[in-house]
Structure formats: C-alpha cells, structure tokens
C-alpha cells in the first residue's frame, strides 16, 4: 500500500533545510567531535534561551529526560507523582523509574489536557510532584496547576514532549514549572535524526544533578572540548547512567531550532484550514483557549465511526494516527497495579473517538483539503 500523505514525514524535515543540515553534519564529521561535542553545548544554550530559562541538559530520549528531571528534583521511593491518564506510557514509565508511584487523573474532553478539578482532588499526603502533559501540543492550564502545587508544596515538571514552540499566556512551554522536558525524537515538533530528549529549568541544582545522572554519576564536565587533554575522567559520586546526546544529533537539532517558529506557524496555518474545511461536518475540532498557542504536533479531531474512517483513509493513501490509546490505566502493566476500567470516564470516551491528522510543515494546502474532504464524505 502506497502512503501519499504521512502522519509524520521525517524525510521532509530534512529536505526543507537540507543545505543547512548537510553543512552542520559535515562540520561535525570533519572535526570528529562525535561525543558531547561543541554542538551539544551550543544546542543546550540555544534551547534554554528559546524557552526563557537558564539551563538545559540533553539526554538520549524524552523518557530519560523526565526520569532524570524527577530524580534531580529529589523524587524517589515512597513518593507519588500525578499525571494525566491519556498520556503516552513513557510519561508513567519515567515516573516509576524515578522510584515514585503514578497517580492518574482524568482529562477535559475539549482540550485533552488534565482536568484541574480532578487534580485538586487527587493530591494525597504522599504526593510530591505534578507532571502536566501539554497534550498534542496544547499547553495544559498551568496557572491553576501551579496554584494547587504551591498550596500543597509540590513540584511541577512539564511534559512538553509534543509541544515545542507552544505558548501559555505569553510564555513558552518549558518556563512554566520547576523543570520541563522535551522529546527530540525525529517525529516530534522539534525533532532530530533519531532519539533524544532535553531537560530545561531555571534551577541550577536540578540542572547539575541531571547532568551528573546522564554522565556516569560524575560531577565533572561531560563536554569533551572542555576537558584538559590527557586528564582522566572524573570519579563517580552517585548512581548514574551513560545517556548523553550525540553531537550529530545536536548539530541537526540546532538547524531545526532555528526554524522552529516558522515550522510551528505553518502547523497552525494547516490547523486553521482543517477547522474551516471540517466545519459543520459533525467532527469535533481542537479547542484552543484564547490565551494559548498550540504547537499542533498533530491535528486531533473527535468523530463517530473513528476506526472505519481511520482504515478508509489508509486505503486512500492517507496515514492518520490513534494516539494514545488505550489510556494508561488500561495497559496491562498499570491494570495489575489496581487501575480499573471506567475509573476515568472522560479519557475512555475520548479515546474511542479521537483521530490524529497529519499537520507537519510538509503537508500541502491541497492535501489538507483532500484529507478533510474524504472525512466529510466518509461520515
């Protein structure tokens, strides 16, 4: 089967900026600076500045970034971390790898983000942190979330894996909590050539601890060019990992970051076209609060007969997605922990209706019209 319109098209991510990308990669290849080279430090500085915070620590995946961020902030055994039930499993895996227990809350159907009323009721004496997920690229309602956190002396770590370039009340995601994490995987809004992740924060203590965790538990610099030639590596002072971003990845990500705002602007333009084409069709289009700017990793609709439409579009060469289904509490791993069906009715209802449409910058105006037209006909 030939797919003409892809949900994510990593080839187009490369082709759009091929000359810049080739030059950046060639520079790394020629200098041989493959592990924790200058491009890594440069990308970290640039991403921190973009988010409006002081520190950035990159790592091998968004999952590791969240794991390290929680550990760096002191989350561990006996603690509880609250997050949204409709997130990717990776969010909850990272929480559990930190040693904490996952506490799930239901969502708002209109935004796909966690319900702040349910959040207020979910806090227990064991709760230490909240991980709001900016679902599909739309910022969670952070002011009520941070107010609840302050009231109970909780940490806030944004899961911005899908939301690079989004804003909430004039501030970029990544600057709205104690720390934030991004996925830099190839299909994300800010994606490289493979897997990658980043932690951003204004807290120097958290950045230093996260740096140590990714770097064998050492406290010395991980950047090769900053070391005195001939000196031995530093000593390990805590249980750490080898989870450092490759220089080639960082070089590619520097190019993508330079164009992030224009890429997100194109995603928003595509979203506006979908909304116009689908008006009156019976499809529920994304609801974006007036004080937010959506990053649109995908354009997520709700509709009847979702599975039939999904299959029919694929038969027509149009790839759509069903992310993230089922909600986390229905995965066998968490079901064994006592989570039960019907515990989160909004997320369960929404998960049976949602469909992710292609919204990357390579989608043409004609393709948007075609996809929307087929959906109207199929309904």
């Amino acid at each position: 089967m030939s797919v003409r319109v892809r949900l994510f098209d990593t080839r187009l991510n490369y082709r759009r900026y091929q000359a810049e990308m080739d030059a950046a990669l060639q520079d790394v290849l020629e200098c041989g600076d493959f592990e924790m080279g200058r491009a890594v430090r440069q990308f970290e500085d640039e991403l921190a500045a973009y988010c409006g915070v002081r520190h950035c620590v990159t790592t091998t995946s968004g999952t590791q970034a969240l794991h390290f961020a929680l550990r760096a902030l002191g989350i561990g055994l006996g603690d509880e971390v609250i997050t949204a039930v409709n997130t990717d499993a990776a969010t909850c895996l990272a929480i559990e790898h930190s040693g904490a227990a996952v506490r799930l809350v239901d969502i708002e159907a209109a935004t796909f983000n966690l319900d702040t009323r349910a959040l207020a009721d979910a806090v227990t004496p064991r709760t230490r942190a909240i991980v709001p997920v900016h679902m599909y690229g739309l910022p969670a309602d952070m002011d009520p979330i941070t107010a609840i956190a302050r009231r109970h002396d909780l940490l806030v770590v944004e899961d911005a894996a899908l939301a690079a370039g989004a804003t909430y009340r004039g501030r970029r995601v990544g600057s709205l909590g104690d720390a934030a994490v991004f996925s830099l995987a190839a299909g994300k809004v800010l994606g490289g050539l493979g897997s990658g992740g980043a932690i951003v924060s204004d807290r120097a203590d958290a950045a230093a601890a996260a740096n140590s965790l990714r770097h064998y538990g050492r406290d010395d610099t991980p950047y090769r060019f900053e070391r005195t030639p001939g000196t031995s590596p530093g000593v390990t002072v805590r249980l750490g990992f080898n989870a450092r971003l490759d220089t080639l990845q960082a070089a590619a990500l520097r190019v993508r970051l330079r164009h992030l705002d224009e890429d997100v602007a194109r995603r928003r333009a595509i979203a506006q076209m979908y909304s116009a084409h689908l008006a009156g069709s019976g499809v529920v289009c994304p609801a974006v609060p007036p004080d937010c700017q959506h990053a649109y990793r995908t354009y997520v609709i709700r509709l009847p007969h979702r599975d039939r439409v999904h299959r029919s579009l694929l038969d027509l060469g149009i790839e759509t997605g069903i992310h993230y289904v089922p909600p986390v509490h229905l995965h066998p791993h968490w079901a064994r922990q006592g989570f039960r069906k019907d515990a989160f009715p909004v997320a369960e209802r929404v998960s049976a209706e949602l469909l992710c449409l292609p919204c990357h910058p390579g989608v043409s105006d004609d393709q948007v019209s075609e996809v929307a037209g087929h959906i109207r006909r199929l309904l």
Side-chain angles (χ1 to χ4, degrees):
M1 182 184 303
S2 174
V3 176
R4 297 180 295 103
V5 184
R6 296 185 178 275
L7 185 61
F8 313 116
D9 200 327
T10 54
R11 299 168 304 174
L12 287 176
N13 287 342
Y14 166 67
R15 290 171 184 162
R16 281 168 65 84
Y17 310 114
Q18 183 170 350
E20 290 177 72
M21 195 78 75
D22 287 351
L25 298 178
Q26 189 64 34
D27 183 61
V28 176
L29 292 170
E30 289 180 357
C31 72
D33 200 12
F34 298 153
E35 296 181 33
M36 294 303 289
R38 292 181 187 277
V40 177
R41 186 58 175 261
Q42 291 166 331
F43 173 71
E44 290 173 342
D45 290 345
E46 290 159 2
L47 182 57
Y50 179 87
C51 293
V53 299
R54 291 177 292 174
H55 306 285
C56 175
V57 176
T58 53
T59 185
T60 48
S61 70
T63 310
Q64 281 289 51
L66 182 55
H67 171 205
F68 292 168
L70 293 169
R71 288 271 300 273
L73 290 165
I75 301 300
L77 288 172
D79 296 332
E80 204 172 62
V81 176
I82 298 174
T83 196
V85 69
N86 65 330
T87 186
D88 188 359
T91 305
C92 296
L93 292 172
I95 291 169
E96 291 193 0
H97 279 301
S98 76
V102 174
R103 188 163 178 81
L104 299 171
V105 296
D106 212 343
I107 62 168
E108 298 174 341
T111 65
F112 304 106
N113 282 325
L114 62 81
D115 186 333
T116 55
R117 294 166 299 179
L119 171 63
D121 294 336
V123 177
T124 77
R126 290 179 56 201
T127 306
R128 287 284 313 284
I130 303 167
V131 177
V133 182
H134 303 315
M135 204 64 199
Y136 307 118
L138 177 65
D141 195 359
M142 293 299 296
D143 282 356
I145 292 169
T146 53
I148 292 167
R150 284 194 297 269
R151 190 157 64 242
H152 296 280
D153 194 25
L154 306 178
L155 297 159
V156 176
V157 180
E158 303 169 68
D159 184 337
L162 310 178
T167 65
Y168 175 83
R169 298 184 176 174
R171 298 173 60 191
R172 294 192 193 278
V173 300
S175 65
L176 305 171
D178 294 278
V181 299
F182 293 95
S183 171
L184 305 173
K188 297 299 193 296
V189 179
L190 176 60
L193 303 179
S195 183
I199 305 156
V200 295
S201 178
D202 259 336
R203 292 184 49 164
D205 59 340
N211 176 62
S212 181
L213 285 167
R214 69 165 173 181
H215 179 51
Y216 302 105
R218 300 170 184 162
D219 282 340
D220 64 330
T221 179
Y223 310 103
R224 299 282 178 130
F225 66 94
E226 291 183 353
R227 297 182 197 165
T228 303
T231 57
S232 299
V235 296
T236 294
V237 297
R238 59 178 57 83
L239 182 64
F241 300 81
N242 176 15
R244 300 166 299 179
L245 189 70
D246 292 335
T247 311
L248 283 168
Q249 284 278 34
L253 285 161
R254 291 187 70 205
V255 175
R256 293 297 313 281
L257 181 59
R258 285 198 291 271
H259 297 282
L260 178 58
D261 285 344
E262 64 188 90
D263 285 351
V264 172
R266 175 59 185 165
R267 289 174 183 269
R268 291 178 185 140
I270 291 169
Q272 289 177 347
M273 285 187 281
Y274 274 131
S275 295
H277 286 306
L278 292 170
S281 67
V283 166
V284 179
C285 294
V288 182
D291 53 3
C292 290
Q293 288 189 307
H294 204 311
Y296 290 106
R297 196 256 181 139
T298 51
Y299 182 89
V300 184
I301 60 174
R302 292 167 51 206
L303 73 170
H305 314 298
R306 188 270 312 281
D307 292 341
R308 178 173 64 83
V309 173
H310 176 58
R311 289 192 300 269
S312 298
L313 288 172
L314 188 58
D315 289 341
L316 293 165
I318 298 165
E319 183 182 23
T320 58
I322 304 174
H323 302 155
Y324 297 93
V325 174
V328 169
H329 70 295
L330 298 180
H331 289 228
H333 173 68
W334 288 284
R336 287 193 294 269
Q337 297 180 24
F339 293 108
R340 292 290 178 261
K341 184 172 172 53
D342 301 323
F344 305 98
V346 178
E348 290 184 34
R349 183 178 77 250
V350 166
S351 73
E353 301 170 348
L354 67 85
L355 186 67
C356 305
L357 306 185
C359 199
H360 57 83
V363 178
S364 70
D365 293 5
D366 287 345
Q367 288 173 331
V368 173
S369 178
E370 179 191 2
V371 172
H374 285 310
I375 291 171
R376 295 185 71 101
R377 180 180 57 79
L378 289 165
L379 290 178

